Amino acid sequence: QVQLVESGGGLVQAGGSLRLSCAASGSIFSINTMGWYRQAPGNERELVATITSGGRTNYADFVKGRFTISRDNAKNTVYLQMNSLKPEETAVYYCNAFIIDRIGGLLEVWGQGTLVTVSS
């Protein structure tokens, strides 16, 4: 079994910063793309950023220049540094990963989500 556990959410004022972390654990052989998504109340889940195992990144236009995704392959962990946060970015942030387990299966795994609240 493989799981993702996020941390780092919380309350921050507009213009502030937060750093999210997501650690993968379990029967892992390797991890391909990891990413962050978010879902605000009443909205669909949307892509924030992704990063490949080789470090190639992709960002949604609305976070470019403010958010940075990174990963530590040795720790099976992905991070999201969020700067200049806006109230409308209040949402549950979810970690996502494509993981190859030790019996060769390719799994898409989601974390439980971490709430980020940006006050105005």
Side-chain angles (χ1 to χ4, degrees):
Q1 186 174 357
V2 176
Q3 63 176 355
L4 300 175
V5 178
E6 299 114 331
S7 60
L11 175 64
V12 64
Q13 289 188 334
S17 299
L18 279 176
R19 188 189 193 214
L20 306 182
S21 300
C22 170
S25 63
S27 181
I28 298 171
F29 177 75
S30 63
I31 304 177
N32 294 340
T33 299
M34 303 183 80
W36 290 94
Y37 293 72
R38 68 188 185 190
Q39 186 168 18
N43 291 355
E44 294 185 352
R45 191 172 297 188
E46 61 183 0
L47 170 71
V48 176
T50 61
I51 184 167
T52 68
S53 57
R56 182 174 298 178
T57 58
N58 177 59
Y59 294 94
D61 287 343
F62 51 75
V63 302
K64 285 181 179 178
R66 298 186 298 120
F67 290 14
T68 302
I69 190 170
S70 61
R71 65 190 281 173
D72 184 334
N73 291 329
K75 296 181 179 179
N76 290 337
T77 299
V78 62
Y79 306 95
L80 185 68
Q81 176 67 44
M82 304 185 293
N83 300 327
S84 302
L85 283 160
K86 306 173 183 179
E88 57 266 34
E89 295 183 303
T90 293
V92 177
Y93 284 69
Y94 294 92
C95 179
N96 171 273
F98 288 88
I99 295 173
I100 297 175
D101 65 17
R102 294 189 183 277
I103 60 172
L106 176 61
L107 310 172
E108 182 179 15
V109 185
W110 290 91
Q112 81 285 356
T114 185
L115 177 62
V116 172
T117 302
V118 185
S119 63
S120 57

